Amino acid sequence: MDLTALATAHPDHWRRAACIRTLTLDAVAAANSGHSGMPMGMADVATVLFDKHLSFDASAPDWPNRDRFILSAGHGSMLLYALLYLTGSPDMTLEQVKNFRQLGAITAGHPEYGHAQGIETTTGPLGQGIANAVGFAMAEEFLRAKWGKRVIDHYTWCIAGDGCLMEGVSQEAIALAGRQELSRLIVMWDDNGITIDGKVSISDRTDQKARFAASGWDVFEVDGHDPVAIDGAITAAKASPRPAMIACKTHIALGHAAQDTAKGHGALTDAKQLQAAKDAYGWPHGPFEIPADLKSWWESVGAKGREARKEWETQFALLSDGKKAEFTRAFALELPKKLSATIKALKKQHSDNAPKVATRQASQMALEVINPILGEHLGGSADLTGSNNTDTADLGVFSPEDRKGRHVHYGIREHGMAAAMNGMALHGGVRPYGGTFMVFTDYARPAMRLASLMGLPVTYVMTHDSIGLGEDGPTHQPVEHLTMMRATPNLLVMRPADAVETAEAWEVALMQKTTPSVLALSRQALPTLRTEHKAKNMVAQGAYVLAEATGKRQAILLATGSEVAIAMEARALLEAEGIGTRVVSMPCWEIFEETDEAYRKRVLPAGPVRVAVEAAIRFGWDRWLFGERGRREKSGFVGMHGFGASAPAGDLYKHFGITAEAVAEKVKSLL
Amino acid sequence: MDLTALATAHPDHWRRAACIRTLTLDAVAAANSGHSGMPMGMADVATVLFDKHLSFDASAPDWPNRDRFILSAGHGSMLLYALLYLTGSPDMTLEQVKNFRQLGAITAGHPEYGHAQGIETTTGPLGQGIANAVGFAMAEEFLRAKWGKRVIDHYTWCIAGDGCLMEGVSQEAIALAGRQELSRLIVMWDDNGITIDGKVSISDRTDQKARFAASGWDVFEVDGHDPVAIDGAITAAKASPRPAMIACKTHIALGHAAQDTAKGHGALTDAKQLQAAKDAYGWPHGPFEIPADLKSWWESVGAKGREARKEWETQFALLSDGKKAEFTRAFALELPKKLSATIKALKKQHSDNAPKVATRQASQMALEVINPILGEHLGGSADLTGSNNTDTADLGVFSPEDRKGRHVHYGIREHGMAAAMNGMALHGGVRPYGGTFMVFTDYARPAMRLASLMGLPVTYVMTHDSIGLGEDGPTHQPVEHLTMMRATPNLLVMRPADAVETAEAWEVALMQKTTPSVLALSRQALPTLRTEHKAKNMVAQGAYVLAEATGKRQAILLATGSEVAIAMEARALLEAEGIGTRVVSMPCWEIFEETDEAYRKRVLPAGPVRVAVEAAIRFGWDRWLFGERGRREKSGFVGMHGFGASAPAGDLYKHFGITAEAVAEKVKSLL
């Protein structure tokens, strides 16, 4: 690369972009770790984007109508930190940049949502950002239709690298965006031809432009170091009626000795080479030093959107008080006042009518009363709408023809769905939920983990939650998935036992502001066990006494979901033999763990035999059997010990010995 | 569809294909569940494929040089069962077909590997089969280069549906196959335009042919009900120098009232409609009845490859005894005799030299001595070769230019890698291993579960296994992943503590024939703890006493991997205060659980305080702390309680309180 030619052609631009490059070099050198090459390669594209196209106000990074900028290639975090610092975002001080990758700094190795305003999403696991961006763009389309373009009307920008495009989730995202004709989504591909192992071509020779075009995108191509060409390509992409991908041909680690090599991807910390790169840029300034004229120019970039933001506030103020309150409520994740009463009424109705329905159906019954009240609730399913029961009468289908539609046909894309849901939740103004078979949390897992890490209140409607699925067999029967999800920090796993608990579980999920929820729901019909109406949300206790022992309490049965009914039958068998038996329903371990010791002790007192029943593996149950005043010698487990099998559900429960009789026998053997 | 025209144009073919269609209808009706539409739609393609192209001998379904037929759209399992029954595969009796989806039948809802010969892989979770097929084709290329085409020389065929192509893993597979120019791989896409939710177009409008072409495939298109055209397309695909995709335009549930509808995807059990479909086929026969002439024709198809198979045996017999033995050994998953001694020698060397290396480096040191002996060992990494330390000096790079190369650049495709590894292992003759960062088991998870379910002895080299990863931060730091993997049935999770245990762990992994293994390896350097050479493989005990208490045993410290060194330091602190402390290294819980009670009791006797140390969440540890003669009141855990953070590793260990001092304090607080 002839840097002099670049610098000469566009001297002002060159110096501005050099701010990003040199801050990156200095921060990585100070940390002695990080990724230098990507910010150095994409500095020109980012400079043009921020200067001429990105609609934002650095002084108000939470402006709801700002353009969203997603750094999918999250290892290039210094690109984002540099941009936030330079444009004057309040959180991003120079001190923070200097503390890149150090304990307590907001400048984490990869951008962490919540560390600083302006970090729109947590990225690093590749492909997530581009799939988040699809969710952002869907939320924008929905909200623009709902609120009008004076309130919501913005672009979603995404920088993606070769790694993002190799990850399968990118295909799910690209195809979904193409189908949904998300014209406000613009992906800038950092086409530098380099990955960690070497040239991209050693593992991939995909024609990315043809691939995007095959899914209905408009595709542009540009020299990623030519600011005029970049501006032209972005302008064209904005005008496109389809999602747009701009292939930005760049040189990784531009101007450094490691330019265009795999080494350039990582931490460039050699002092001499670093200085040589700065010399090549014509950069005489010290480490972390940004000349005042340049800082001032960048701050003017950060201020460019100020008028637009103020004008937006003026327009917003013109809305009716009701609309303003509704908009603010949705963005603040507050629930409509009448939701609680509505759910109570549904619970009472269930207790009165005692329907025998699958909890997936009970979930739909809950949604039928929730969705008309909760206008920001956006549902969907990964091509199992009728099985996941995620659709309700009032939703309509989200599509280019109906942007107010509230149910999304995500296609057979569990991962893309979960990642898009993250983007929607991050955008704000919507609350997403989405369904698939519980075993396919395996596919959605990387995005579910990020929801937990970011603290996004999304709801996963995971149906067919055990061998109760039946004939589809072990590939479709979760046995370890409850454990996997329970082990994930900051994730509520709720497995309701009947229609009443399902309604309560939905209320608990919707009450969350910083925690995602899983509803683990049965395929098979279950009796209503909560036939006596209680206004109190018992799922919100985590666990509770569903049925008390008559006479002396000799046994406590612990169960979740579809196995609570089995525990109740076992209780009947035991009580008939004079063995006083309590049944504890434990729909949500995480909440119960957080309740106070006194309550836990009331639910799980010392003394009686304890037997847990769950159509899943035992892993984790020792906490409740041996711990919490339990005794190893006086506890047992009835459940799965390995993978399931293909057969009718009833046969499987018998085959694997998960029956009331087996539970009663287990208790008696321990008395 | 004008069925009469189809029947008239190719009357013999029509009746032959109708065997598949009617067996499907009858089996689904008998089971009252299943998926009728796909086998009915693809019956013509499958009939032509089996009759004219698939090289196989039904009487010898384990012939190593057979063509592999992968049903990626696994819900259409009756297609496969019908073909196996009709062609006379020994396992697949009519009785089994009649017991479709019933307990104990080999005809599970989705094809389960191991249930019957001829089921080449377990499918059902969509996209897995096509990604397996890439692994099959890679194994074939490698083995053809290694053994010559008189020994291995076959095609890999795959039927994939719309769902397979929507799943992101398909993109990883397609791109990998295109890059590797796998000309013996032919994918037949069941292009029926229907998914469970309705028309494909509601969620996807991707031009699949353009998408495959963008990744270097040759693409063909055919009327999937015209046998002559199908034959022509397959013939052309075989001649193609690239992987080939044939878009087969079909009608789902052909000839049934539900044809071309989402309903046609599922179980078509209405008796009248079923009869009407049979009438439309001109099929006067009873349920499960195949006229003798048709059964006989199909059996002749099953016998067509018999001569080729016998000729292969003749050719194989001409190999030298050494070569024959080597080939047979590799396919039987036996280890070379000298492997054990080689690993012992490495262990001794480590014990003598006491290197301070990361276990990922120790893993590479083990591979350096294993790979030259184990010629079927095929390594690879998802673009982290230098970090995962999966490459060794002798391997070379697997590519179209070097088919004998044994290290694969899988690209940034953890899921595609794991699924391809499954295909390689299923092919036989190779033993795959592959690496990525442990946190990205999240991406690989669906394929890892299938490896466990199928019992495939693949090895996952999962490095950077904790907060010891350091600055890359919480997105890259596993905390719940050990739990997730330990909870998965039939998966060995080994977390070695030093170079010696790492060598032992590799030996344990290679000893497996029906269980996959995870090696959880540190980024950071660890001291050699096993400085006294023991010939015995201690990892193969699951857990063992690494250091005994001097004097009265008051405490037992339990630890794995990088925390064993911390436990040893804590022991030194405690012993210095006169507190006799045993350290138990627990590299593999699964093995320890399976050892006899007497051994477990020797390792974990009742009495002493127990403290576990692991830089991961506590979930599951209660089994060892409260259970196994432990006492709740006398046990503690030092580890993680949530997600990690971005900082140098040493800072993080201190920040999260995982230190020798904290362990010692915990012990003292419990004494």
Side-chain angles (χ1 to χ4, degrees):
Chain A
M1 249 351 245
D2 183 351
L3 298 198
T4 312
L6 289 177
T8 310
H10 305 283
D12 288 341
H13 166 83
W14 180 255
R15 290 181 70 230
R16 293 160 184 169
C19 298
I20 298 172
R21 295 191 167 105
T22 58
L23 282 172
T24 297
L25 283 166
D26 291 336
V28 170
N32 199 31
S33 82
H35 299 82
S36 314
M38 184 279 194
M40 292 165 70
M42 283 296 278
D44 298 303
V45 172
T47 300
V48 174
L49 172 67
F50 272 60
D51 176 21
K52 297 197 189 303
H53 297 281
L54 191 79
S55 171
F56 76 113
D57 175 358
S59 70
D62 58 352
W63 174 29
N65 194 38
R66 69 191 179 278
D67 280 3
R68 303 310 198 265
F69 173 66
I70 313 298
L71 187 69
S72 190
H75 52 279
S77 56
M78 265 311 302
L79 180 74
L80 180 56
Y81 303 151
L83 288 162
L84 291 176
Y85 162 65
L86 289 167
T87 55
S89 201
D91 295 343
M92 195 57 67
T93 63
L94 186 59
E95 203 54 32
Q96 292 287 355
V97 175
K98 289 179 175 174
N99 279 320
F100 182 49
R101 294 181 150 237
Q102 303 309 303
L103 193 62
I106 63 175
T107 46
H110 294 83
E112 300 285 342
Y113 175 70
H115 278 208
Q117 286 192 315
I119 299 176
E120 301 282 7
T121 180
T122 294
T123 51
L126 294 174
Q128 296 297 324
I130 187 172
N132 293 164
V134 173
F136 275 98
M138 288 170 73
E140 194 272 343
E141 291 283 358
F142 171 76
L143 293 170
R144 178 152 36 88
K146 181 183 171 91
W147 293 99
K149 61 184 183 175
R150 282 188 305 178
V151 178
I152 292 290
D153 183 18
H154 69 79
Y155 283 89
T156 299
W157 306 88
C158 175
I159 289 183
D162 294 299
C164 294
L165 301 194
M166 275 199 242
E167 290 288 359
V169 68
S170 68
Q171 180 63 26
E172 301 184 22
I174 292 166
L176 181 58
R179 169 63 186 91
Q180 290 289 350
E181 300 172 23
L182 302 174
S183 62
R184 302 301 187 88
L185 173 62
I186 300 177
V187 170
M188 290 153 292
W189 167 37
D190 179 15
D191 178 16
N192 60 35
I194 293 292
T195 70
I196 291 175
D197 273 3
K199 290 190 174 159
V200 168
S201 60
I202 65 171
S203 60
D204 193 44
R205 294 188 178 170
T206 297
D207 178 342
Q208 296 291 0
K209 297 191 298 293
R211 177 186 165 211
F212 275 77
S215 284
W217 288 56
D218 281 330
V219 177
F220 304 87
E221 191 166 14
V222 73
D223 172 352
H225 302 300
D226 177 344
V228 174
I230 294 165
D231 183 36
I234 292 178
T235 303
K238 283 163 80 174
S240 149
R242 281 169 285 275
M245 189 274 265
I246 306 173
C248 307
K249 194 77 200 158
T250 62
H251 295 274
I252 197 168
L254 182 82
H256 189 278
Q259 180 186 311
D260 299 325
T261 70
K263 192 178 176 307
H265 171 91
L268 303 177
T269 53
D270 180 272
K272 274 192 189 163
Q273 291 182 341
L274 192 156
Q275 190 54 52
K278 286 189 177 177
D279 292 346
Y281 300 155
W283 190 264
H285 317 293
F288 296 107
E289 190 186 328
I290 302 294
D293 67 315
L294 285 171
K295 184 70 169 79
S296 168
W297 179 83
W298 272 109
E299 285 174 8
S300 77
V301 169
K304 268 188 185 169
R306 200 150 299 160
E307 282 314 308
R309 194 258 303 171
K310 285 182 177 161
E311 170 60 20
W312 180 90
E313 281 172 1
T314 306
Q315 292 292 334
F316 185 77
L318 296 175
L319 294 180
S320 71
D321 286 351
K323 282 201 166 186
K324 271 183 285 197
E326 178 68 3
F327 183 93
T328 306
R329 182 192 62 71
F331 271 80
L333 296 167
E334 301 291 345
L335 295 177
K337 290 242 171 358
K338 63 197 238 198
L339 188 76
S340 172
T342 302
I343 287 176
K344 278 195 187 71
L346 178 68
K347 283 170 56 180
K348 178 151 191 341
Q349 187 185 314
H350 285 328
S351 293
D352 292 348
N353 299 347
K356 185 171 178 178
V357 293
T359 47
R360 64 189 170 113
Q361 290 170 278
S363 168
Q364 192 170 35
M365 293 161 92
L367 287 170
E368 290 285 6
V369 302
I370 292 167
N371 285 345
I373 298 172
L374 197 65
E376 66 268 32
H377 216 200
L378 254 64
S381 166
D383 197 49
L384 289 168
T385 300
S387 299
N388 301 143
N389 301 78
T390 44
D391 201 7
T392 58
D394 60 321
L395 290 187
V397 173
F398 180 80
S399 74
E401 292 73 42
D402 181 11
R403 292 303 195 194
K404 291 185 181 176
R406 288 165 56 199
H407 194 272
V408 181
H409 285 297
Y410 283 106
I412 299 141
R413 306 182 181 111
E414 302 81 6
H415 196 177
M417 174 176 75
M421 286 164 62
N422 285 352
M424 291 177 183
L426 287 160
H427 183 285
V430 296
R431 280 191 89 110
Y433 69 93
T436 184
F437 286 167
M438 196 167 96
V439 83
F440 298 135
T441 51
D442 279 354
Y443 283 85
R445 164 83 199 158
M448 290 175 70
R449 183 178 205 253
L450 284 169
S452 301
L453 179 59
M454 288 191 268
L456 304 179
V458 300
T459 309
Y460 306 106
V461 180
M462 296 302 180
T463 70
H464 299 62
D465 68 349
S466 75
I467 53 167
L469 166 109
E471 292 90 341
D472 275 347
T475 55
H476 283 53
Q477 292 161 355
V479 295
E480 72 275 42
H481 298 78
L482 287 171
T483 301
M484 289 170 50
M485 295 190 289
R486 285 169 179 157
T488 305
N490 194 39
L491 177 64
L492 293 188
V493 183
M494 291 181 273
R495 190 162 185 252
D498 69 357
V500 177
E501 278 195 7
T502 305
E504 292 179 337
W506 261 113
E507 186 175 31
V508 171
L510 293 173
M511 284 158 50
Q512 305 308 311
K513 292 187 176 184
T514 57
T515 304
S517 299
V518 173
L519 304 185
L521 303 172
S522 75
R523 177 196 189 193
Q524 69 271 35
L526 303 173
T528 295
L529 303 172
R530 290 269 298 279
T531 49
E532 188 184 325
H533 176 61
K534 272 190 186 148
K536 190 171 185 179
N537 187 321
M538 299 309 290
V539 171
Q541 312 296 304
Y544 65 96
V545 178
L546 176 65
E548 187 49 285
T550 53
K552 180 167 182 267
R553 187 194 306 129
Q554 295 187 65
I556 301 179
L557 303 180
L558 301 79
T560 75
S562 45
E563 285 69 67
V564 179
I566 291 173
M568 289 295 281
E569 284 175 57
R571 174 179 176 275
L573 295 175
L574 290 163
E575 294 267 349
E577 296 189 42
I579 302 166
T581 304
R582 166 185 284 192
V583 171
V584 171
S585 180
M586 299 191 71
C588 185
W589 288 16
E590 295 79 19
I591 295 176
F592 189 55
E593 277 190 4
E594 296 295 317
T595 59
D596 59 281
E597 166 84 15
Y599 176 73
R600 295 208 313 277
K601 191 170 175 181
R602 281 207 302 282
V603 175
L604 295 179
V609 158
R610 288 187 194 172
V611 171
V613 202
E614 189 167 69
I617 58 161
R618 176 179 179 140
F619 210 99
W621 273 104
D622 292 347
R623 163 93 169 86
W624 310 112
L625 293 173
F626 300 166
E628 298 286 331
R629 294 154 301 278
R631 280 177 303 162
R632 193 173 61 242
E633 308 76 14
K634 292 290 177 187
S635 64
F637 176 74
V638 172
M640 296 295 291
H641 302 279
F643 293 112
S646 171
D651 294 355
L652 291 175
Y653 270 88
K654 280 196 200 78
H655 175 70
F656 289 110
I658 306 173
T659 63
E661 293 73 21
V663 173
E665 282 309 312
K666 177 72 81 180
V667 166
K668 287 193 277 182
S669 74
L670 293 164
L671 284 172
Chain B
M1 256 339 254
D2 183 350
L3 298 199
T4 311
L6 290 178
T8 308
H10 306 283
D12 289 340
H13 166 83
W14 180 254
R15 290 181 69 229
R16 293 161 183 169
C19 298
I20 298 171
R21 295 191 167 105
T22 58
L23 282 173
T24 297
L25 283 166
D26 291 336
V28 171
N32 198 32
S33 82
H35 299 82
S36 314
M38 184 278 194
M40 293 166 71
M42 284 295 278
D44 298 304
V45 172
T47 299
V48 173
L49 172 66
F50 272 60
D51 177 22
K52 296 195 188 305
H53 297 281
L54 192 79
S55 172
F56 75 114
D57 175 358
S59 70
D62 58 351
W63 174 30
N65 195 37
R66 69 192 179 278
D67 279 4
R68 303 310 198 267
F69 173 65
I70 313 299
L71 188 69
S72 190
H75 52 278
S77 56
M78 266 310 301
L79 180 75
L80 180 55
Y81 302 151
L83 288 162
L84 291 177
Y85 163 65
L86 289 167
T87 55
S89 200
D91 295 343
M92 195 56 68
T93 63
L94 186 59
E95 204 53 33
Q96 291 287 354
V97 175
K98 288 180 175 174
N99 278 320
F100 181 51
R101 295 182 147 236
Q102 303 309 302
L103 193 61
I106 64 176
T107 45
H110 294 83
E112 299 285 342
Y113 175 71
H115 278 209
Q117 286 192 314
I119 300 175
E120 302 281 7
T121 180
T122 294
T123 51
L126 294 174
Q128 296 297 322
I130 187 172
N132 293 164
V134 172
F136 274 96
M138 288 170 74
E140 195 271 343
E141 290 283 358
F142 171 75
L143 292 169
R144 179 152 36 89
K146 181 184 172 88
W147 292 99
K149 63 183 181 177
R150 283 187 305 177
V151 179
I152 292 289
D153 183 18
H154 69 78
Y155 283 89
T156 299
W157 306 88
C158 174
I159 289 183
D162 294 300
C164 294
L165 300 195
M166 275 199 242
E167 290 288 358
V169 69
S170 68
Q171 180 63 24
E172 302 184 22
I174 292 165
L176 181 59
R179 169 61 187 92
Q180 289 290 350
E181 300 172 22
L182 302 174
S183 62
R184 301 302 188 86
L185 173 63
I186 300 177
V187 170
M188 289 153 292
W189 167 36
D190 179 16
D191 178 17
N192 61 35
I194 293 292
T195 70
I196 290 175
D197 272 3
K199 291 190 173 159
V200 168
S201 59
I202 64 173
S203 60
D204 194 42
R205 294 187 178 169
T206 297
D207 178 341
Q208 296 291 0
K209 297 192 297 295
R211 177 187 165 209
F212 276 77
S215 284
W217 289 55
D218 281 330
V219 178
F220 305 87
E221 191 167 13
V222 72
D223 172 352
H225 302 299
D226 177 343
V228 174
I230 294 165
D231 183 35
I234 293 178
T235 302
K238 284 162 80 175
S240 147
R242 282 169 282 274
M245 189 274 264
I246 306 173
C248 307
K249 194 79 201 158
T250 63
H251 295 273
I252 197 167
L254 182 81
H256 189 278
Q259 179 188 309
D260 299 326
T261 69
K263 191 177 177 308
H265 172 89
L268 303 176
T269 54
D270 180 274
K272 273 192 190 162
Q273 291 182 342
L274 191 156
Q275 190 53 54
K278 286 189 178 178
D279 292 347
Y281 300 156
W283 189 265
H285 316 293
F288 297 106
E289 190 186 328
I290 302 295
D293 68 313
L294 286 171
K295 184 70 168 79
S296 168
W297 180 84
W298 273 107
E299 285 174 7
S300 77
V301 169
K304 269 188 185 169
R306 201 150 298 162
E307 283 314 308
R309 194 257 304 169
K310 285 182 177 161
E311 170 60 20
W312 181 89
E313 282 173 0
T314 306
Q315 292 292 333
F316 185 76
L318 297 175
L319 294 179
S320 72
D321 287 351
K323 282 201 167 182
K324 271 183 284 196
E326 177 68 2
F327 183 93
T328 305
R329 182 193 62 70
F331 272 80
L333 296 166
E334 301 290 345
L335 295 176
K337 290 240 171 357
K338 62 195 237 196
L339 189 76
S340 172
T342 302
I343 288 176
K344 278 195 188 74
L346 178 68
K347 282 169 58 179
K348 176 146 192 346
Q349 187 185 315
H350 284 329
S351 292
D352 291 349
N353 299 348
K356 186 172 178 177
V357 293
T359 48
R360 64 188 170 112
Q361 290 170 277
S363 168
Q364 192 170 35
M365 293 160 93
L367 287 169
E368 291 284 6
V369 301
I370 292 167
N371 285 343
I373 299 173
L374 196 66
E376 65 269 30
H377 217 200
L378 255 65
S381 165
D383 197 49
L384 289 167
T385 300
S387 299
N388 301 144
N389 301 78
T390 45
D391 201 7
T392 58
D394 61 320
L395 290 187
V397 174
F398 180 80
S399 73
E401 293 72 42
D402 181 10
R403 292 303 194 194
K404 292 185 182 175
R406 289 164 56 198
H407 194 272
V408 181
H409 285 298
Y410 283 106
I412 299 140
R413 307 183 181 110
E414 302 82 7
H415 195 178
M417 173 177 74
M421 285 165 62
N422 285 353
M424 291 177 183
L426 287 160
H427 184 284
V430 297
R431 281 191 89 112
Y433 69 93
T436 184
F437 285 168
M438 195 167 97
V439 83
F440 299 134
T441 52
D442 279 355
Y443 284 84
R445 165 82 200 158
M448 290 175 71
R449 182 177 206 252
L450 284 168
S452 301
L453 180 59
M454 290 191 267
L456 305 179
V458 299
T459 309
Y460 306 105
V461 179
M462 296 302 181
T463 70
H464 299 63
D465 68 349
S466 76
I467 52 166
L469 166 107
E471 292 90 340
D472 275 347
T475 56
H476 283 53
Q477 292 162 356
V479 294
E480 71 275 42
H481 298 76
L482 288 171
T483 300
M484 289 170 49
M485 296 190 287
R486 285 170 179 157
T488 305
N490 194 40
L491 178 63
L492 292 188
V493 183
M494 290 182 274
R495 191 162 186 254
D498 69 357
V500 178
E501 279 195 7
T502 305
E504 292 180 337
W506 261 112
E507 185 175 32
V508 171
L510 293 172
M511 284 159 50
Q512 306 307 312
K513 292 187 175 184
T514 58
T515 304
S517 299
V518 173
L519 304 186
L521 304 172
S522 74
R523 177 195 188 194
Q524 70 271 35
L526 302 173
T528 296
L529 303 172
R530 291 269 298 281
T531 48
E532 189 183 326
H533 176 59
K534 271 189 188 151
K536 190 172 184 179
N537 187 321
M538 299 309 291
V539 171
Q541 312 296 305
Y544 66 98
V545 178
L546 175 64
E548 188 49 287
T550 53
K552 181 168 180 267
R553 187 195 307 129
Q554 297 187 62
I556 301 179
L557 304 179
L558 301 79
T560 75
S562 45
E563 286 67 67
V564 179
I566 292 173
M568 290 295 281
E569 285 175 56
R571 175 180 175 274
L573 296 175
L574 290 164
E575 294 267 347
E577 298 189 40
I579 303 166
T581 303
R582 167 185 283 192
V583 171
V584 172
S585 180
M586 300 192 70
C588 185
W589 289 16
E590 294 79 20
I591 295 176
F592 188 54
E593 276 189 5
E594 296 296 317
T595 59
D596 60 281
E597 167 84 15
Y599 176 74
R600 295 208 312 277
K601 192 171 174 179
R602 280 207 303 283
V603 176
L604 295 178
V609 158
R610 288 187 194 173
V611 172
V613 202
E614 190 168 69
I617 58 160
R618 176 177 180 138
F619 210 98
W621 272 103
D622 293 346
R623 163 93 170 85
W624 310 111
L625 293 173
F626 302 166
E628 298 285 334
R629 295 155 299 279
R631 279 177 305 162
R632 192 172 62 242
E633 308 76 12
K634 291 290 177 188
S635 64
F637 175 75
V638 173
M640 296 294 292
H641 302 279
F643 293 111
S646 170
D651 293 356
L652 291 174
Y653 270 89
K654 280 195 202 79
H655 175 70
F656 290 110
I658 307 174
T659 62
E661 292 72 22
V663 173
E665 283 308 314
K666 177 73 78 178
V667 167
K668 288 192 275 182
S669 74
L670 293 164
L671 284 173

